[in-house]
Amino acid sequence: MARLATQTAHSAAGHFSCEGKLGERPASVDRTDWTRRPVAQAAGTCAGVVNVREAARLTVTTVTEKPSGRALTEQCSLERGELGLFHMTAYYRPSAEQEMSLDGRYPGTAKDSYKHSVPCKDAIGTAHFKLVRTNDRAPDGTSGAHGTSDPAALNRLLDSFVTASSGRHGCPTT
């Protein structure tokens, strides 16, 4: 957290050509709970990620999400009932720099992961996106990654998340 806060302050100072006073404790911290809802009712960080047809193809029935635009990261989980299938994260500003640095330093640490980065305007810099197949225990007792392992389908899913999330942050995806 300290590295993230420091990098945020450093990026803002560089972008706006200013120096600020030393930090103070935040007045509030977003403590919004996760919301689980049917995929067709996604309204936060999962909004616009998967349409009904693609959800049926991937056997996705529910999403777990938070309101969008409240943090340096956005997360969206796609599930089949209680069974986790895919977890996607969008990293912005220093959070993206940190994640790209870790990905470069420890390649291959997240098996079954797909990544994509896009340049953004203003102080946002580069946004970094990641999809990971969720390891979960199914009702029949089997554990491991569930859902499709088809790279084309997973790349389509990540591309949808990139388009939806980056669009909310003013980042062009083309």
Side-chain angles (χ1 to χ4, degrees), residues 117-121 124-127 166 170-174:
S117 297
V118 297
C120 297
K121 298 177 182 175
I124 292 180
T126 298
S166 64
C171 304
T173 56
T174 56

Side-chain angles (χ1 to χ4, degrees), residues 10 15-16 31 34 38 40 42 51 56 68 118 133 149 157-158 160:
H10 177 69
H15 178 73
F16 296 107
R31 295 184 182 190
W34 290 96
N51 62 35
S68 61
V118 297
R133 291 179 64 218
S149 60
L157 186 57
L158 180 59
S160 301

Side-chain angles (χ1 to χ4, degrees), residues 54 114 149-159:
E54 189 71 10
Y114 293 78
S149 60
D150 175 29
L154 294 172
N155 278 312
R156 277 194 314 273
L157 186 57
L158 180 59
D159 287 345

Side-chain angles (χ1 to χ4, degrees), residues 18-33:
C18 66
E19 291 293 326
K21 64 181 183 174
L22 292 177
E24 299 172 6
R25 285 189 173 275
S28 65
V29 175
D30 183 13
R31 295 184 182 190
T32 307
D33 288 330

Side-chain angles (χ1 to χ4, degrees), residues 39-124:
V39 69
Q41 295 175 10
T45 53
C46 293
V49 173
V50 61
N51 62 35
V52 175
R53 185 176 178 191
E54 189 71 10
R57 183 180 6 252
L58 296 172
T59 66
V60 173
T61 59
T62 54
V63 299
T64 298
E65 63 182 353
K66 285 191 172 194
S68 61
R70 293 182 171 222
L72 295 174
T73 60
E74 286 191 353
Q75 298 177 339
C76 170
S77 292
L78 303 179
E79 299 133 2
R80 183 182 315 125
E82 299 287 321
L83 178 65
L85 299 175
F86 313 107
H87 184 78
M88 294 173 287
T89 307
Y91 301 91
Y92 293 96
R93 298 177 184 94
S95 179
E97 293 174 20
Q98 172 77 8
E99 192 64 22
M100 288 186 293
S101 173
L102 291 172
D103 285 349
R105 189 175 306 155
Y106 307 106
T109 55
K111 293 183 180 183
D112 293 323
S113 69
Y114 293 78
K115 302 169 194 148
H116 188 77
S117 297
V118 297
C120 297
K121 298 177 182 175
D122 302 324
I124 292 180

